[in-house]
Structure formats: C-alpha cells, structure tokens
Amino acid sequence: MPYIRDPQCGAHGLWFVRSLSPKVPPESQFLGGNVLDSAQSEVLLPAPLPELSLSLQQLSSVPITAVYQGRMLKDSSPDDGFEGRDPLSLLENLQPLLAKKEIEKLREEIRLAFATLKDPLEWLLDVLETSSDWKGKGHSLPYHIAHELQFWIKEHPNGQLSGLRLRKLQSHVLPLLAQCHVSLMDLLISIYQLHAADRCHLLGHISHLHLKDKFKEAAILSTKLKLQPYLEVEKMCVPLLLQDKMNLVESYVEEHPDLQQQLLRLLDSWCEPGFRTETVIRQYRGLANVRLEKVHRKMLSKLIFRFLDKYSLDPALCPNATNQRHLGTLKYLFYKRFVEKTMTQENWTEHVQSTIGNNQWLQEQLVQLLASYHHLNAAATWALHYSLPEDSLPCQVSDELKALKSQERDDVLKQKVANCEEWRKDHYYQLPIPRGNVLFLSKWEEVQKCKEHVLQPGQVIGIDMEWRPSFGTVGRKSRVSVVQMAVHGRVFLLDMLQLLKQDGKDEEALYSFFQTLFADPTITKLGYGVAGDLHSLVLSCPAFKDLDKHLCGVLDLLAVHKQLPKCSGMVKKGCRKVDALPLEDEEAQCGMPPEKGLSLLVQHVLGKPLDKTEQLSNWEKRPLREGQILYAALDAYCLLEIYTKLQKDLAGFGLDINSLVLHPKKVCTEVQAKKLPNKQRMPPTCSEKSAANVEETPSSSVSISVQDFRVVCDNMLQGLGRYLRCLGVDVRMLENDDEHRKAAKIAIQENRVILTSGLPYQTLRSQVGEGRCFSVDCSEKAKEQALRVLKHFNIQVTLADVFSRCQVCNCNQYLKISKEKMMQLMKQRGFLTDAEEAAVVNSREQHLPISYFLLSAGELSENPNVNFEAESLELSSQRPVYSPNCQWLEESGLDTKSAVLPNGTSLKIEAIPIGVLSKEDLAYFYCCGQCGKVFWEGSHFGRVVSQFKEVLDLSEDNQNFYEQN
C-alpha cells in the first residue's frame, strides 16, 4: 500500500491512501487541493507527493496508539494528541453508559475526556470512522460526543483550530456528512467550521455526490452549507422532482428568490404543449424510484401554482401553466353556459373577457371551443371582435364570417331571448316586493337608514353575501362584494367594496354595526351556509377577524334543510301538493340540471326554484346589472319567506317543534378556512355552503341499520374506512392513485354515500346531490371521524355487526373453522410441528403457558412462528359472545389438503400465532371468503365494542360490563 506524506506533519507524518489498487487511480480528481477516490468516495490527501521509502517493517514498529483506524496521528507519539490515554479505552468506558441510558453521566464522562485530550476534534473524527451506528436515526454515541463537543468549543474559544490543521480535518469529515442523519450533520458542520471552508472544495464534493447518483445527499448537504447560489437549479432539483422529493426541493430554494424563479421557469417549460417528460427521464437512466405520475402536466400545474402562492411570484414566469389554467376556466364556463345552462349570456361574456384578456392564444382557443359546441355565429363574432387572422380559424368559422352582416337572424335571436325571459318568470320564484324597495347602499350615511330598520329587538333578518368567483385564477382571492339584509317588505344591499374603501372611521363603524347585529340574541338572523359567508367576510377585512366569535340568535337554514324529508318531484305549497317541476326525465329533455342547495329548499317550501343564472356573476364590477340586483335581493328575501312558511306548518313539512329553535349562544366557535380546489368551480356562495363548517345535524331522525348503509371513502380517509368496516359498514375505498371523481361514479352506480374531506367536497357534492356526500374533519382521528359519521346518519350498530366484514377486502362472507380443524390444516401445511402441537395440548390440559412447554422442548429459538402475545388476549367471561351478522360459507367447499377456498384463494394460516391455539376459550377461527385472511376472537373485539359503545345497541348486561371496564 503506498503512502503520501504531509509536509506539515513532521518527519513521520503519514496518511494512508485508502485505495484497493497499489497506486492512486488515474480517475481520481483534484477537488479543492484534495485527491478524491472516485471508486470509494473518500477524501485522500491535501496534495499528492512522492512516496516515502518507509518499509512495512518500519511501519509496524510505530505504536498502536499512533495508528488509529487507518490513519497515523501526528508525530507518531503515544502521548501526543491523547496525553497518554488510549482512545479505545475512552470509548469502552462510554459505551456501557449509553447502553444503560445514563445520559447525564455519559455527558459528564465525555467532558472529562475532552479535558484529557489534546485534540478532541480529531478524536471525534476517529470515533466516527470507528463506528457505524451514527448513520441511522437516533442519538448514537458519536452524536452525544459531538453534541457535548459543540458546547465545549463555545466554552474554550481559544482551543479552536485553524489553518492547514483544520483544513485536513475538514477534508476527512466531509465524506462522512452524506452518511449521517441531519441532526448529527448540523453538529459536524458547526464543529468543523465547514461554512467557512474552501468553497471550491465543498462544491467539488457536491459534484462528486451528484456523479455517484446520490442526489438526495447532495441536495441536503448543499442546503446545509448554503451552496445553492453556486449550483445549477436544474442539475440539483430535477432528480428530486422525478423521485417526488418535493420537501427537499422546497428546502433547497426556500431562501433564494432567484432560485425560486428559475425552478418555476423549469417546471413551466415542462408544461409546454408537446413536451415529453421521457426526454428528461432518459438523462437519468439509473435513477431509482421514479414517480412518473407526479410529473404529468396536471400535477405540474398544481405544483406551479402552489409555488406561485407560497413564494408570491409573478405569474408571468409561467406562461404555459397560466394558459392551461385559463383554458380550463374557459372549458368550465362553456360547461356552465351550454351544458348546465345556469349562466346568462351577459354573465358568461363578462367572465370570458376577463379570462382571455389580450392573450391571442386564448382568443383562438375560445373560437375553437365555440365551433366545437356548434355555435359558429358566436365563434365568428368573437373572431371579428378580436381581429383574429382568418388562417388561424376553423374553416366553418371562416365561412360564417362572410354571412355575419346578415340581419335576418338577429330578429330570430331577439324573439328567442324574449321567449326565454317569459319562461323564466313563469318557471322560477320571483321577488314578492316592489323593485323600489330594494336599496343599494354605498355610503355610510345610507347605511344609517339600514341600521334603523335592522337593529330592532324581535326583528327577523335574512342575510346573504356575494363575491366574485375566482375560477382558479392566479393571485385572486375571494372577498365579499355585496352583503344583503332583508327585513319584511324591504331589502338592503350593502356595497362592501365602496364601504371598505372609505376612511378607517367608517370601517370601524361598519364593524361595530355587524358586531352588534350578530351578537344580539333578540334579533333572529337567517342564513344558508352561515359559516362560509362569515369566513369570506372575515377575509375581506382584517377588522372583522373576531366577528365569528360572538354569534347569537342565528338560524342556519342549511341545517333545517337536512331535516326535511326527501321529495321527488312533489313539493308542498299551502295545504296541497303541486308539481313544481317536470319529472327528471322531462328535465333532462329540457336540458335543465336538477335543483340543489338553497334553490332546492325554495322549491320544496315555496313551490318554485330560484333562478341561479346570476350566481357566477362578476360581483366586483360596478354598476351591477339589474339582473344581479334582483338576484341578490331575492337570495336574502327568500330566507324570510321560507322561515315564515315553515313556522306555520312544521308538521306538514316533516319537522318537529325544535327544528327552528335558535341557538342562544354562538353557532360556531371556529370557522375553518376554505380553499378553492384546483379544478375550476365557483366558490361556495349562499346556495352551496359546505356542511362541514356548520353545526352538523343528523340527516334523518329514523335510525338506519348498518346493512342498509353503504359508503365510498375518498383516498385520504382509508383509516376511517377501516374503522367503519370494523363495525360492519359496507365500505368501498379509493386507492391512493385514484382521482376523486371516481368516488362520485361509484356512489351513483352502487347507491353509496361519499365520505370525503377538504377541497373535493364541493365538486363531489354537486355530482351526487343533497345528502349523498359528507365532509369529514381531517383534524380528527379516524375513530372520532367514524363516530361523527355514524351519528350524523343515525346508523344503528349492534354487537353482531362488529367485525362482520373483513377489514382488508370488505367481504361479509366467512368460513367458520373449529380450532381442531385449524390445527390439522396448519400441521398439513407445515406451519405446526409435532412438538408445537404437543405443547398446545399440554398447555390446555395443565393450564400453563405454552411457552413453558416450548422452552422445555427446545423449540423456542428454532421456530419463528412462536408468538406469546396471544396469551394476553383473554377477556373476562362476562364479555358478549362474538356472533357476526354475516353470510356463512360451507366448510365442504374448502380444499383441506391445500387450504384453498373455492375461489382459489389460500387461507392465510401462516399468520396464526402458535400461542392462540392454546387459548381455552377459543373455539373457532373465522376465515374471509374472499381474501383468505384469518380472524379469531380476542381483546380487539372488546376494545372496539368499548370504543363505540355510544353508538352500539347493547343489552343491559353488556352495557354494564363495558361501563365497568
């Protein structure tokens, strides 16, 4: 083995060259003045020098204390560096203390060791090279030494190293950083002053890690050493993006705005039409764990806009993603206008113009979309409006341009519009007060008149709010534009945009007005989805941040709506039933979607639905159109009409006397922030508020059996799904890579209720209708979520339902096998030896633990299937008998030789612990008829029953038993 001399280490200063070859490999690179072995990733020397003529015999005469783990200490003196103490003996004294977890004594001994060592930094380096337990998580001995050394250095600043001696230690500690945990890495960087080390040396090491495909280590180390400005963003981040290590990417660019912009441009280039991510992946052929599903255009778009919002960057940095987002908005507007037919032409035109702006590419996309919907005249009109070149237009649109000046069709269109307006007046519920009684207030002096009417004890007020839908537009946050307050015979529309623009005094006065109104228990406030409105109001003005904490006398008609019996085509009007709308098949022929939200409640109670075509209006544009003013007024006034009608005939609507009782205290103590989903949709307005953010009211006063309750769980609620399966609920669960819309498809096809959370709630709820989608609070644990679901839907669970379904596959068919039969199967399949069988029999006969007999037979250490935990699974003899309400399969269908079910699935008998077979009170095993998983009665059954006893239908004896336990 060759040796290279360090001239600063004296006549005998030697360093081993760590190489398997007799010479320094030719591929070794000089990085920052150090030789780096590319085959073994170890820093070798400060500089290559001629070999010394020191023989192996001479080397062997050097004392062992001078040669430590492949590295000779300076001057080869047993007293130098350690002052006579053997570093190995130091470690031997410290390791028992760590094993006994005597941490305080360990720290004391470490500090005493520092006092006896001439160079503690060198000793720490030797300790790291000697052991390997520091490479994982947890606090190892090297970690404790480094932790104490950091404090010791602060107490002894004069003992800090510098110059060539420090640089040599830095060269040796640098390769170790990529192998250690982050906590230890921080300590080593501080102790060896790597932040002040030669930058070229550090960059060379990062480059070497990258060449070795250690991309994660390179990113972490460069972030810790703050080297990001000197490295290429694409080179460092692309491998991490392909491996879905977004947390590392975000940490890498966190404090560097210029790097954030470079990363955003890189991601946007991947969203360019025609770009293929395979071209990027080919550059990293050896890269492991590539997540292709995370780098397709849809996921990249979400990532880009999350970065835009998080780092407050300019959307102009990502034109491709922005164009795709706006195109998605256009497609959504087309769906609302031409498929659902729930937007007026004026409303639709405003949003289209706002979305497109001066972007010629989007203008061309608009024309193409109109042509695809067969609106050629409209496509030609927009093409003429934007002066688009004819060669960019579809052929049919170009031909339509020639006939655009013809006036004959204009008369036909005007007649169609007139007929449509007449139909709407007859079909939809109309404002029952004169237009002159609707007042639009934009000055504080005008609001004073509103206060006189509203702040009256005993007053009943309908309150609603409107804001501009964002449609996922970048950088736009919803703020309340109009607040509607309706009293009997009059409606006040408060222009919040103008009122909040005025000086601070008016803002404080406005807040005082709202606070007085919402906190007064003598004034009845009616709303529909109150929590969503208040949340948007709080976001609109910081002064309103505490408004939702003092609510009294509020009645949310959304909760009342949930108590109404489901109606199908027939609604109550006065004392007789009338057909308010055509049947569903007729609705489909007319192209009208089914009613939902507040419109559906109005239809049920007042006989006709609301016209919601102005719901997606641009509420920030002034002046408001007449249609917007009438829509806003009616949305608030209809709440008064509903309340009055329900009060007169509670029984006729299937409600009890407590349905309209006001909450004397605040209705909600916390309004959680709602985020708009990435899919294009409107923000939840008065008619579509999330039930998750208001006080939950059971959807039915009639209890439902578990067998009649079927759900589909979104892929973020798998823990909830498993708990519900424990209680016998038929649960379908989406896989991790399934899209949320699959839940709606399953719910419709199989008549299930959707359980979801967060952003997908509104989208899924709109697809399945009222009462078919429930929003779960993700901040709760799975058990609390399950209890909330069962209580909300009033599900009755019995003891027979517990574990009546397989938690793995949802099957409710079991094969019941006796313990003796199971032992035969296990023995035939080689999972039960003769000695173990004898131990089971002796354990039952002599009432001794099975471990006693297995130990005496010498089988314990040889059989990995031995598991004594089953001995602790015994329950009190008073426990309820496990008798699941399921379908039983015939035992004759089981192939006893191969333990295979009729469907070809093998029983998972290898998972049965031997100790379970010795339980005296265990008579049967229960085998899933679909996946073959084997269950048996144990403590888990009792725990589940105890945890859910408040929703279980327990007999008196069983109830008393679980209350005692």
Side-chain angles (χ1 to χ4, degrees):
M1 178 179 293
Y3 314 104
I4 295 180
R5 176 184 176 185
D6 182 352
Q8 301 295 325
C9 292
H12 303 289
L14 302 177
W15 297 78
F16 284 146
V17 177
R18 298 183 179 91
S19 174
L20 298 178
S21 61
K23 295 182 180 180
V24 178
E27 66 270 22
S28 297
Q29 304 176 35
F30 292 91
L31 300 174
N34 290 274
V35 179
L36 192 63
D37 187 324
S38 62
Q40 297 188 15
S41 301
E42 296 190 20
V43 175
L44 301 177
L45 302 168
L49 294 174
E51 295 186 17
L52 292 178
S53 57
L54 185 63
S55 66
L56 291 176
Q57 290 80 4
Q58 290 172 307
L59 180 62
S60 63
S61 64
V62 178
I64 188 63
T65 54
V67 182
Y68 192 65
Q69 186 61 21
R71 179 162 53 83
M72 289 191 65
L73 301 176
K74 294 196 311 175
D75 300 330
S76 301
S77 172
D79 294 330
D80 190 23
F82 298 102
E83 297 187 1
R85 294 198 61 179
D86 186 353
L88 293 176
S89 64
L90 289 176
L91 291 180
E92 292 174 357
N93 294 335
L94 297 176
Q95 286 170 347
L97 297 177
L98 179 63
K100 297 177 182 178
K101 296 184 179 180
E102 297 179 3
I103 305 302
E104 291 301 325
K105 190 173 182 180
L106 174 65
R107 293 174 178 173
E108 182 180 347
E109 289 294 325
I110 292 174
R111 286 182 168 263
L112 290 175
F114 293 157
T116 63
L117 295 171
K118 183 177 180 180
D119 192 349
L121 275 72
E122 194 166 16
W123 180 56
L124 172 59
L125 185 57
D126 290 324
V127 173
L128 291 170
E129 292 179 340
T130 303
S131 61
S132 60
D133 57 339
W134 50 270
K135 296 181 181 180
K137 295 182 179 180
H139 292 173
S140 60
L141 179 58
Y143 172 84
H144 287 287
I145 295 175
H147 187 266
E148 295 304 315
L149 182 55
Q150 187 181 42
F151 286 104
W152 185 86
I153 291 174
K154 293 179 180 179
E155 296 172 358
H156 302 79
N158 296 331
Q160 293 191 11
L161 299 179
S162 61
L164 181 60
R165 189 178 177 190
L166 175 62
R167 289 198 296 273
K168 286 188 296 185
L169 294 179
Q170 291 173 340
S171 299
H172 283 279
V173 76
L174 195 56
L176 304 177
L177 295 179
Q179 306 175 50
C180 61
H181 191 259
V182 175
S183 58
L184 179 57
M185 182 188 297
D186 291 333
L187 293 173
L188 296 178
I189 289 174
S190 173
I191 291 171
Y192 292 96
Q193 306 174 46
L194 290 175
H195 283 302
D198 181 67
R199 186 184 301 152
C200 294
H201 185 189
L202 299 176
L203 292 174
H205 183 65
I206 298 297
S207 178
H208 181 73
L209 289 175
H210 209 272
L211 289 173
K212 291 293 184 180
D213 293 343
K214 295 183 178 181
F215 305 112
K216 173 185 173 182
E217 293 81 359
I220 294 175
L221 188 54
S222 58
T223 302
K224 293 292 183 181
L225 295 175
K226 302 186 184 302
L227 297 175
Q228 302 99 307
Y230 311 101
L231 297 166
E232 297 180 21
V233 171
E234 182 173 355
K235 176 182 176 182
M236 298 299 296
C237 294
V238 167
L240 303 178
L241 291 169
L242 296 178
Q243 293 179 315
D244 192 29
K245 298 184 183 298
M246 285 310 307
N247 57 331
L248 295 181
V249 175
E250 293 186 36
S251 299
Y252 187 85
V253 302
E254 185 67 37
E255 299 177 359
H256 302 275
D258 55 331
L259 300 185
Q260 296 165 7
Q261 295 180 16
Q262 293 178 41
L263 176 62
L264 206 61
R265 291 192 184 98
L266 171 65
L267 294 174
D268 186 66
S269 67
W270 293 6
C271 294
E272 187 176 353
F275 178 82
R276 297 180 61 84
T277 54
E278 290 80 0
T279 59
V280 178
I281 297 174
R282 277 197 290 268
Q283 302 175 26
Y284 302 90
R285 293 186 181 275
L287 186 63
N289 302 320
V290 174
R291 302 286 300 277
L292 285 176
E293 70 275 10
K294 297 295 183 179
V295 291
H296 62 74
R297 185 172 298 173
K298 182 178 179 181
M299 296 300 297
L300 288 173
S301 178
K302 291 182 178 180
L303 185 61
I304 288 172
F305 289 107
R306 186 164 68 84
F307 281 167
L308 278 175
D309 183 61
K310 180 176 182 178
Y311 300 125
S312 301
L313 298 176
D314 185 0
L317 293 169
C318 47
N320 294 313
T322 303
N323 282 343
Q324 292 298 325
R325 176 63 65 90
H326 288 321
L327 178 59
T329 300
L330 280 180
K331 291 179 179 179
Y332 176 73
L333 291 172
F334 270 78
Y335 177 80
K336 300 296 288 185
R337 173 73 180 128
F338 300 114
V339 179
E340 282 193 352
K341 300 181 181 179
T342 55
M343 293 185 75
T344 63
Q345 178 65 35
E346 298 86 350
N347 192 0
W348 182 83
T349 301
E350 286 179 359
H351 286 303
V352 166
Q353 291 175 331
S354 174
T355 301
I356 290 177
N358 297 322
N359 190 316
Q360 183 175 339
W361 183 82
L362 288 174
Q363 294 168 0
E364 294 173 356
Q365 295 298 316
L366 169 65
V367 173
Q368 293 179 13
L369 283 172
L370 285 167
S372 67
Y373 277 81
H374 306 292
H375 292 276
L376 299 179
N377 180 259
T381 303
W382 283 99
L384 185 63
H385 173 74
Y386 287 121
S387 302
L388 297 178
E390 289 193 22
D391 57 357
S392 66
L393 304 177
C395 297
Q396 294 175 314
V397 177
S398 298
D399 296 337
E400 189 71 17
L401 275 173
K402 301 174 183 178
L404 188 60
K405 295 183 179 180
S406 174
Q407 300 297 323
E408 295 180 0
R409 68 180 67 190
D410 289 346
D411 296 335
V412 176
L413 291 175
K414 290 179 181 178
Q415 184 60 41
K416 287 184 177 180
V417 170
N419 293 339
C420 182
E421 291 298 326
E422 290 298 324
W423 179 84
R424 289 185 179 279
K425 290 181 180 179
D426 182 63
H427 181 76
Y428 290 114
Y429 190 76
Q430 302 296 310
L431 187 66
I433 61 175
R435 170 62 179 85
N437 290 0
V438 179
L439 306 177
F440 191 77
L441 315 178
S442 57
K443 297 180 180 179
W444 177 246
E445 293 76 12
E446 298 171 340
V447 177
Q448 295 284 6
K449 301 177 181 179
C450 171
K451 288 178 60 179
E452 297 175 1
H453 288 83
V454 169
L455 298 181
Q456 297 288 336
Q459 183 69 277
V460 179
I461 307 170
I463 301 176
D464 190 39
M465 302 176 195
E466 306 294 343
W467 53 82
R468 178 182 180 177
S470 65
F471 298 120
T473 305
V474 181
R476 179 183 298 164
K477 295 184 179 180
S478 301
R479 55 176 180 170
V480 173
S481 301
V482 179
V483 174
Q484 306 102 281
M485 296 184 180
V487 296
H488 182 70
R490 188 166 299 188
V491 180
F492 301 97
L493 306 182
L494 278 63
D495 186 358
M496 300 298 290
L497 297 184
Q498 291 297 322
L499 292 172
L500 293 177
K501 279 183 180 180
Q502 300 173 16
D503 57 43
K505 293 183 179 179
D506 287 349
E507 183 178 297
E508 293 178 4
L510 188 63
Y511 170 72
S512 177
F513 168 44
F514 276 91
Q515 186 182 42
T516 303
L517 172 62
F518 282 103
D520 192 338
T522 66
I523 301 176
T524 300
K525 280 80 63 176
L526 306 175
Y528 192 91
V530 177
D533 283 342
L534 290 178
H535 172 66
S536 294
L537 185 61
V538 169
L539 290 181
S540 302
C541 181
F544 289 10
K545 63 180 180 179
D546 296 326
L547 184 64
D548 59 315
K549 297 180 180 179
H550 308 283
L551 304 182
C552 291
V554 177
L555 178 62
D556 196 336
L557 293 178
L558 174 60
V560 178
H561 190 185
K562 292 181 179 182
Q563 301 178 60
L564 290 176
K566 302 300 179 184
C567 301
S568 177
M570 304 298 289
V571 296
K572 191 172 181 65
K573 186 174 183 180
C575 297
R576 62 187 184 90
K577 292 183 177 180
V578 298
D579 280 321
L581 282 177
L583 296 176
E584 290 187 4
D585 56 344
E586 295 176 344
E587 281 188 5
Q589 295 173 4
C590 297
M592 296 299 297
E595 301 300 332
K596 55 187 178 182
L598 179 59
S599 178
L600 181 62
L601 179 60
V602 173
Q603 179 184 5
H604 284 173
V605 179
L606 303 180
K608 293 183 180 181
L610 294 177
D611 184 356
K612 307 297 290 184
T613 53
E614 294 290 351
Q615 187 177 43
L616 300 181
S617 295
N618 182 358
W619 293 98
E620 294 182 2
K621 185 178 180 180
R622 297 292 183 270
L624 293 178
R625 289 179 282 102
E626 184 67 14
Q628 289 177 294
I629 292 176
L630 292 176
Y631 168 85
L634 182 56
D635 252 16
Y637 202 84
C638 71
L639 300 175
L640 298 176
E641 300 281 284
I642 293 171
Y643 182 68
T644 302
K645 195 66 170 289
L646 292 178
Q647 274 189 319
K648 293 179 179 179
D649 191 11
L650 283 173
F653 287 99
L655 300 175
D656 57 42
I657 193 172
N658 296 319
S659 299
L660 299 183
V661 173
L662 298 178
H663 297 276
K665 298 181 180 180
K666 53 187 178 182
V667 296
C668 55
T669 58
E670 180 179 351
V671 181
Q672 298 179 352
K674 295 181 182 179
K675 299 180 181 178
L676 291 172
N678 291 318
K679 293 184 179 180
Q680 306 296 342
R681 68 168 179 84
M682 67 171 192
T685 59
C686 60
S687 63
E688 293 186 24
K689 299 298 190 292
S690 171
N693 293 324
V694 296
E695 185 174 338
E696 298 285 0
T697 305
S699 58
S700 174
S701 58
V702 180
S703 62
I704 302 173
S705 68
V706 166
Q707 289 75 25
D708 296 330
F709 186 53
R710 311 173 73 208
V711 302
V712 52
C713 280
D714 214 337
N715 46 24
M716 77 284 282
L717 297 173
Q718 294 174 347
L720 167 63
R722 285 189 288 270
Y723 261 108
L724 292 177
R725 280 180 181 173
C726 282
L727 300 173
V729 178
D730 185 351
V731 181
R732 286 281 304 272
M733 289 190 284
L734 299 190
E735 300 295 334
N736 290 331
D737 54 350
D738 286 337
E739 294 188 0
H740 300 294
R741 59 186 177 185
K742 184 177 179 180
K745 184 178 180 181
I746 293 175
I748 294 172
Q749 292 177 346
E750 303 180 11
N751 193 28
R752 295 177 181 269
V753 173
I754 298 176
L755 303 181
T756 186
S757 181
L759 304 181
Y761 171 71
Q762 287 288 349
T763 303
L764 293 174
R765 179 171 175 256
S766 65
Q767 296 179 32
V768 297
E770 294 290 331
R772 298 284 303 281
C773 187
F774 182 78
S775 182
V776 178
D777 186 356
C778 274
S779 66
E780 295 181 333
K781 294 183 179 180
K783 187 191 79 171
E784 284 73 21
Q785 292 174 347
L787 284 171
R788 188 175 296 276
V789 170
L790 296 172
K791 290 179 180 179
H792 176 79
F793 291 99
N794 203 4
I795 306 302
Q796 192 67 51
V797 185
T798 66
L799 280 176
D801 296 319
V802 179
F803 291 125
S804 60
R805 285 188 175 273
C806 176
Q807 293 175 258
V808 178
C809 67
N810 196 42
C811 176
N812 67 336
Q813 295 182 339
Y814 284 101
L815 178 66
K816 192 174 182 180
I817 299 180
S818 66
K819 180 163 55 177
E820 289 71 20
K821 183 72 173 179
M822 184 60 72
M823 291 179 62
Q824 294 177 14
L825 292 174
M826 293 178 66
K827 190 172 182 180
Q828 291 173 3
R829 299 292 295 161
F831 299 115
L832 183 67
T833 66
D834 292 338
E836 290 168 345
E837 183 181 17
V840 170
V841 175
N842 292 332
S843 173
R844 287 188 296 190
E845 292 178 350
Q846 301 183 32
H847 306 285
L848 290 174
I850 188 174
S851 56
Y852 176 82
F853 301 99
L854 288 175
L855 284 170
S856 62
E859 297 287 339
L860 178 60
S861 60
E862 299 178 6
N863 193 336
N865 290 326
V866 177
N867 187 337
F868 304 122
E869 293 182 0
E871 298 176 21
S872 64
L873 299 179
E874 297 180 2
L875 290 175
S876 168
S877 59
Q878 302 177 27
R879 71 181 187 277
V881 177
Y882 175 58
S883 179
N885 182 12
C886 60
Q887 300 179 28
W888 297 105
L889 299 176
E890 294 294 333
E891 189 175 336
S892 59
L894 175 68
D895 186 343
T896 55
K897 293 184 179 180
S898 59
V900 174
L901 294 168
N903 63 358
T905 302
S906 299
L907 293 183
K908 305 298 189 295
I909 58 178
E910 66 275 8
I912 301 176
I914 303 301
V916 171
L917 299 173
S918 65
K919 291 182 59 178
E920 295 183 10
D921 57 346
L922 181 66
Y924 294 98
F925 289 87
Y926 305 91
C927 309
C928 176
Q930 181 169 311
C931 69
K933 187 172 178 64
V934 181
F935 303 88
W936 59 90
E937 185 179 354
S939 60
H940 192 33
F941 173 69
R943 285 197 299 270
V944 171
V945 174
S946 180
Q947 290 174 347
F948 291 94
K949 62 183 179 181
E950 55 185 296
V951 294
L952 279 169
D953 184 15
L954 297 173
S955 65
E956 184 176 351
D957 293 339
N958 292 335
Q959 182 70 38
N960 293 336
F961 168 78
Y962 283 106
E963 286 177 356
Q964 295 170 3
N965 286 271

